Amino acid sequence: MSRAVFITGGTSGFGAAAVERFVAGGWRVLTSGRRAERLQALVERFGAERVHALAFDVRDAEAMRAALATIPPAFAGIDVLINNAGLALGTAPAQRASLEQWRQMIDTNVTALAAITHALLPALIERKGAIINISSIAGSYPYTGGNAYGATKAFVTQFSLGLRSDLHGTGVRVTSIEPGLAQTEFTLVRTSGDDAASDALYAGAHPITAQDIAETLWWVANLPPHLNVNRLELMPVSQSFAGLQIHRES
Ligand code: NDP
Ligand code: 8X3
């Protein structure tokens, strides 16, 4: 039987491109998201024998448990879990940020990612599978307005490294993928639907594409079983590092 991958957040961006890449590679693909109509479109496009979709909000623990319990036998036995679902909300500095937006990022990027991983770990250990977590450069390099988002991604990176250590000897591989500027619906979501802000951010920058990340995920998932990529940081060539800031009293 072909290998199976569970890609959270398959309704757009990295997740949608990864669904396409893994289907093209002959894998069975489980995917999830809140937007049921987009999930249905994936099933219709690729066929119900290749893609099985689970519509639920990852922040809803009971909905997640119920959805995982409905995985049909043809999609059971997950070899690779790609924890991709996530978001940034807002670009304001902490002192002007919304606590509600911080909560949503923490619930989605941290709590839900940990919960799905916890639920699927026994099966992944049984199959000597792999966990690939989508972190971000925002977890390593602070920037103004990155506050809680960056902190959630620092969790994802450190959780990945901790899992690696805990899973020592099980054969399960764990990878933290840490992309920089990438053009998806990410900035539309972050700015609550500001098309102009999203377009302006990516204009002329030749950002990472969703397909670039899908290829990276495909590569990591198909490495020989004795190799583990611990962390992989990617940026577009147009993006690099800036200096620290200094505030001077006038
Ligand atoms: P998109 O906004 O295009 O995709 C985000 C995906 O996450 C969607 O499929 C969305 O599905 C899903 N999602 C978000 N919240 C929930 C929720 N509560 N329940 C279920 N699914 C949810 O952005 P990207 O593809 O760019 O983002 C994918 C990952 O990559 C995120 O973790 C992001 O932080 C990370 N990342 C993005 C970068 C970028 O510059 N684009 C760079 C580095 C990391 P739905 O809305 O249907 O629920
Ligand atoms: C998204 C990358 O640099 O916009 O995680 O925070 S960045």
Side-chain angles (χ1 to χ4, degrees), residues 78 120-129 170 172:
I78 295 163
L120 295 180
L121 258 181
L124 288 162
I125 291 171
E126 200 177 310
R127 293 179 77 83
K128 294 191 186 339
T170 65
V172 175

Side-chain angles (χ1 to χ4, degrees), residues 26-248:
W27 287 45
R28 290 167 292 134
V29 177
L30 275 157
T31 192
S32 66
R34 289 163 299 181
R35 287 171 286 183
E37 69 292 347
R38 290 200 185 192
L39 292 172
Q40 185 53 34
L42 288 172
V43 174
E44 283 166 15
R45 180 172 167 205
F46 297 116
E49 69 292 345
R50 308 305 302 279
V51 174
H52 184 77
L54 302 168
F56 65 96
D57 186 325
V58 291
R59 293 169 296 166
D60 182 338
E62 178 51 32
M64 179 192 300
R65 196 202 56 73
L68 294 180
T70 68
I71 295 173
F75 286 84
I78 295 163
D79 298 285
V80 177
L81 168 63
I82 299 181
N83 276 315
N84 165 72
L87 79 176
L89 293 170
T91 54
Q95 58 275 28
R96 292 200 296 277
S98 150
L99 180 57
E100 197 35 56
Q101 291 190 329
W102 282 8
R103 284 208 174 96
Q104 187 173 343
M105 289 188 278
I106 294 165
D107 290 350
T108 309
N109 301 355
V110 174
T111 310
L113 181 144
I116 294 188
T117 304
H118 190 267
L120 295 180
L121 258 181
L124 288 162
I125 291 171
E126 200 177 310
R127 293 179 77 83
K128 294 191 186 339
I131 301 167
I132 308 177
N133 291 325
I134 305 291
S135 180
S136 166
I137 60 159
S140 300
Y141 309 104
Y143 60 85
T144 305
N147 43 67
Y149 176 68
T152 66
K153 292 305 186 177
F155 170 89
V156 174
T157 297
Q158 195 62 20
F159 185 54
S160 307
L161 297 176
L163 284 172
R164 249 315 255 137
S165 182
D166 286 358
L167 293 166
H168 184 79
T170 65
V172 175
R173 295 181 286 170
V174 187
T175 300
S176 169
I177 303 277
E178 300 160 23
L181 185 76
Q183 187 162 11
T184 62
E185 293 180 19
F186 178 83
T187 302
L188 264 184
V189 171
R190 186 172 207 170
T191 60
S192 306
D194 186 339
D195 281 301
S198 179
D199 291 348
L201 178 64
Y202 301 124
H206 203 155
I208 295 172
T209 66
Q211 289 69 30
D212 293 330
I213 298 301
E215 276 308 323
T216 304
L217 292 168
W218 176 252
W219 174 71
V220 170
N222 285 284
L223 285 169
H226 67 284
L227 274 181
N228 195 96
V229 176
N230 297 335
R231 298 177 64 170
L232 187 57
E233 183 180 289
L234 303 105
M235 289 183 188
V237 175
S238 63
Q239 186 175 40
S240 64
F241 318 99
L244 300 172
Q245 53 189 346
I246 298 171
H247 171 73
R248 298 181 198 283

